Amino acid sequence: MRIVGSSPNRVDAFDKVTGKAKYTPDLVPPHTLEAKVLHSTIANGWVKEFDLSEAWNVKGVVDIVTCFDVPDIQFPTAGHPWSNVPAKQDICDRKLLNTRVRCYADDIAAVIAETELAAIEAVRKIKVVYEELPVVLDVKESLNNTTLPPIHEERPNNVVARTNYEIGDFEEAIKEPGLTKITGTYDTPVVSHCHIEPANSFAYEEAGKIVIVSATQIPHLVRRMVGQALGVEWGTIRIIKPYIGGGFGNRQDALTEPLNAYLTTRVGGRPVRLAYTREETFEATRTRHAMTLDLTTYIRKDGSFAARDITIYSNQGGYASHGHALAANAGNAFRMMYPVGAIRGEAVTVYTNMPTAGAMRAYGIPQLAFALEAHIDDISKATGLDPLQLRTKNMMRLGYVDGPTTITCHSTGLEECITKGEEYLDYSKKRLAYANQSGPIRRGVGMAIFCYKTGVYPINLETSAVRMILNQDGSMQVQVGATEIGQGADTAWVMMTAETVGVTLDKVHLVSTQDTDVTPYDTGAYGSRQSYVTGMAVRKTAESLKRKILEYAALMINKDPIDLDIVDNNVVRKNTDIVLTTVKEVGMESCYSLTNSNHIAAEETHHCSDNTYAFGVCFTEVEVDIPLCEIKILDIVNVHDSGRIINQTMARGQVHGGMSMGLGYGLYEYHKFDPKTGRMLNGNLLDYKLMTPLDTPTLHAMFVETDDPTGPYGNKSLGEPPTIPVAPAIRNAVLNATGVSINANPLHPERLFDEFVASGLIKQRREHV
């Protein structure tokens, strides 16, 4: 391949760094009205009445809408492809504004005003009377509740969904003599996406349609959800998605768009902007699910697993959003990563009065990986077996087919990834050297592996369409329905198009903006699917366009198209350098010919009917200051098998970004809540501790390239995987350094202090009286 596998600059780089790129706030028209949402100050109960008198007296207020005014329609917000099978559709459990309050900062009213300040002031002047109920934040408390009304009356036991599976005969397997049983319970926290651009959109009416310009990952799916929320035909909704400032899964939900669409209809179609603050984006959009995972392993003396069991409790918060899909995905990955012996799994997702949890990078697998990979090192600690050998003995192999989903391991470089990372860090030698240390400052090494599927087939529909048009100058326009969310997808598609058609990169003009009235259908950016699913649509469309160019060229030069090819913008005799004509000449003639004007374009759909696994590993070395309860990352490397790498530089950038997110998950990030009110206590960028440049160590990324037969160019998922193994690798390094198993993340100083006191590493001082 000439272009795929190289490292050209990103096609959007210049516009983004110079400020030319247009984001949603840059496109707001003059004289747009401003909307602000009134969020509830209770987490459980009902809105009984409003006093709007003072709010109406604020100068500039145009309209006030309460939960008693909106359509009585419950709709879904999750960015999943819709299904014609009712049982597979997302849960419809919220309205545009909610009378029944289910979480703190629930949406209960909205103000439209001439200015943002007027809208803010009016919202503050609205008085609300609530009927308040006690707050339930804990999953098991919610499950066992027998006194309070259910959070959703449609689910009287507060269970969103429950699934289970059994591979082999578990009860029979554990009867084998000589097995050692190891159990562990692991907890992961609520965290936020923290994309740069807060949730925002603006909406107006034009040509009989409601138009919403929005920072969304899923424009075609949002169109459907807005139609459902308002009870109108989906074709009367138009979604325009410009550049957006990151997503990480938060924008794989309908956030501001449905309400914003309704608000513009209240004011005769005038443009209305609904822009959340950073604090609102923390409290009132989506979070990563907190999970509790109970693991049990029965292991033979040789280190092979005889039987394994997992139970997952997933805290959904107030509304379903992506619901049980996250916990189910985690449960599936439990059996996939180490598919040996009898395996039994159960997952339950439960409504609570926490903020609504939704999609976030790697979709439930960071939670599972933290528990599973910590559990592997706990098995090593209990049995004396080497943790690296435990993994390599039991991990997935080439050709594995997952029974329940049929997802197949078509290619794997995991063993090479482990070898490469182990050699880089000198892991095995250091692990032995760091065992049984003493003193206040200790070092340790840790590792974690993972597998991650590519896209969502066969759990959900995977489909993508692409359109390409040949211009008169020999360049081509490319339109994709999938979305660039900062990860470099536009550049990958341009490279794929140029590679397949046979033109140079400068001849491919990709339209980054998605417009559901114009852009071919695609379900959006999620599941690390874009270079795999949309990439296949790009390849099919590029092949179709190339064939049409060559067929027209053959007529021009009186040749058989089977003998022609395109190389560097020239039509050549196949397998030679003999130039017969140019793509530009074909473009001019096909457009302006007086005898055979035939505008050359192609549009193809790819309906994905396969899936494959990406793999990787993280190795890290840490220094633990026991008295200060502080962890310093001395070295860290991720090694990935993501098939053939499309763009080497972008791939490293993806890995570095994912590792940074994993470091935050492992060391710093978690949300605190008032247990009495359910209010988020650190919903701002001062108190929510993200990694800063000063906190970030030098990040190392390596690749083991395989050629996956199902990928359009041998490629498979990379966008989400880098964040998965980092937190458990850090945890396991701390175990190696201190001998202390810490079964919850992040490993912040308060948690380290409690664990070190409990283990006797720190003698707690008495409080002075």
Side-chain angles (χ1 to χ4, degrees), residues 533-606:
V533 180
T534 306
M536 189 64 80
V538 169
R539 180 163 190 163
K540 288 174 67 175
T541 309
E543 288 172 344
S544 178
L545 184 71
K546 180 177 182 177
R547 183 176 63 254
K548 292 180 178 182
I549 293 171
L550 293 178
E551 287 172 351
Y552 197 95
L555 293 174
M556 289 171 56
I557 60 179
N558 195 27
K559 298 289 184 182
D560 191 328
I562 199 171
D563 295 328
L564 304 180
D565 198 2
I566 300 174
V567 177
D568 290 338
N569 312 320
N570 295 313
V571 177
V572 302
R573 188 185 299 277
K574 189 175 291 184
N575 300 321
T576 74
D577 295 327
I578 302 172
V579 176
L580 303 175
T581 185
T582 66
V583 176
K584 178 178 180 179
E585 289 169 340
V586 174
M588 292 291 286
E589 184 68 16
S590 65
C591 187
Y592 298 122
S593 172
L594 295 176
T595 59
N596 186 25
S597 178
N598 182 4
H599 302 173
I600 297 175
E603 182 169 346
E604 299 290 341
T605 297
H606 175 60

Side-chain angles (χ1 to χ4, degrees), residues 209-437:
K209 292 193 174 188
I210 300 173
V211 183
I212 307 110
V213 181
S214 172
T216 178
Q217 297 175 219
I218 48 168
H220 283 278
L221 303 189
V222 166
R223 178 178 70 164
R224 181 256 303 167
M225 287 183 272
V226 171
Q228 290 174 297
L230 273 60
V232 301
E233 293 292 328
W234 303 353
T236 64
I237 307 298
R238 179 185 178 193
I239 308 294
I240 299 172
K241 172 257 155 197
Y243 284 119
I244 67 176
F248 305 119
N250 197 24
R251 304 186 201 276
Q252 199 196 335
D253 244 82
L255 300 175
T256 62
E257 299 91 354
L259 178 58
N260 203 3
Y262 176 71
L263 294 179
T264 190
T265 68
R266 297 273 303 196
V267 292
R270 285 187 63 185
V272 178
R273 183 173 81 118
L274 179 54
Y276 276 5
T277 63
R278 176 62 61 183
E279 289 74 15
E280 287 177 293
T281 301
F282 270 118
E283 288 187 331
T285 59
R286 304 294 178 265
T287 64
R288 190 186 286 284
H289 290 72
M291 293 186 187
T292 297
L293 306 97
D294 297 329
L295 276 67
T296 300
T297 297
Y298 292 84
I299 187 171
R300 301 182 182 94
K301 290 181 180 180
D302 67 355
S304 61
F305 297 151
R308 299 188 301 129
D309 177 85
I310 189 170
T311 302
I312 301 172
Y313 298 93
S314 180
N315 194 324
Q316 182 54 49
Y319 295 94
S321 181
H322 285 249
H324 187 61
L326 283 293
N329 201 40
N332 289 342
F334 175 74
R335 68 172 181 266
M336 293 170 176
M337 187 65 261
Y338 300 103
V340 295
I343 308 173
R344 187 172 65 184
E346 181 176 25
V348 57
T349 299
V350 183
Y351 283 121
T352 69
N353 298 127
M354 294 279 273
T356 300
M360 189 171 176
R361 193 175 194 170
Y363 212 74
I365 307 306
Q367 297 96 311
L368 181 277
F370 180 82
L372 178 55
E373 292 301 293
H375 187 60
I376 297 295
D377 270 46
D378 287 346
I379 293 171
S380 172
K381 179 183 177 183
T383 63
L385 296 167
D386 181 86
L388 191 152
Q389 293 177 9
L390 275 174
R391 291 175 169 90
T392 56
K393 190 176 190 68
N394 294 284
M395 69 190 188
M396 187 195 298
R397 301 292 177 183
L398 182 67
Y400 163 76
V401 180
D402 180 61
T405 66
T406 72
I407 299 173
T408 301
C409 180
H410 295 289
S411 63
T412 175
L414 179 55
E415 193 163 351
E416 294 91 334
C417 288
I418 293 173
T419 299
K420 203 168 187 177
E422 196 278 338
E423 290 176 352
Y424 168 83
L425 198 70
D426 200 8
Y427 167 84
S428 297
K429 181 178 179 181
K430 288 180 178 178
R431 181 177 172 274
L432 293 175
Y434 293 152
N436 303 315
Q437 295 175 77

